[in-house]
Amino acid sequence: QNGQAEQGNLPGTPTTPGTAESKNGQTTAIRRHAGVLGLAALAGAYPYDVPEWMPEVLVQLATYVLDPLPIKQTVRKAFGEFWRTHQDGWPILKAKFNEEQLSTLTNLLASPSYFS
């Protein structure tokens, strides 16, 4: 291991040059997708509620929306499901997000690239 897990980095983040992961793009993409799947699972774990840690998870997940398939598809599905289960309570739930987090989510859900 290159210490990535110990550093708290998500899979797929830049690694030390010369490691097996930096040489093997497929391994990096698989690990990155695994991290995104984990974030998506966290986002879907509380339908109809927003625990205090979830806004940051959603912001982190949003950073992967422009990644290649299947990563961006996973992100879009996760946000589609989040919105489906949270839109009825959104006027109350959005108070759990700060202004920057709300801006990120609004930009993502209103972005043309989200739907492409």
Side-chain angles (χ1 to χ4, degrees), residues 3-4 17 29 31-32 35 45 47 50 58 61 65 83 85-86 112 115:
Q4 193 174 31
R31 290 183 57 127
R32 187 174 180 99
V50 176
L58 293 171
L61 186 59
V65 74
W83 185 244
T85 59
H86 290 81
F115 297 101

Side-chain angles (χ1 to χ4, degrees), residues 38-97:
L39 290 171
L42 287 170
Y46 290 88
Y48 314 106
D49 191 20
V50 176
E52 71 177 57
W53 49 263
M54 189 178 292
E56 193 54 41
V57 166
L58 293 171
V59 167
Q60 183 68 36
L61 186 59
T63 65
Y64 297 98
V65 74
L66 297 177
D67 276 22
L69 290 173
I71 296 171
K72 75 177 177 181
Q73 182 179 7
T74 299
V75 173
R76 285 192 266 167
K77 283 182 178 181
F79 275 101
E81 185 63 16
F82 175 83
W83 185 244
R84 185 187 70 76
T85 59
H86 290 81
Q87 80 182 74
D88 288 344
W90 190 243
I92 296 167
L93 295 173
K94 73 179 184 179
K96 297 185 178 191
F97 294 79

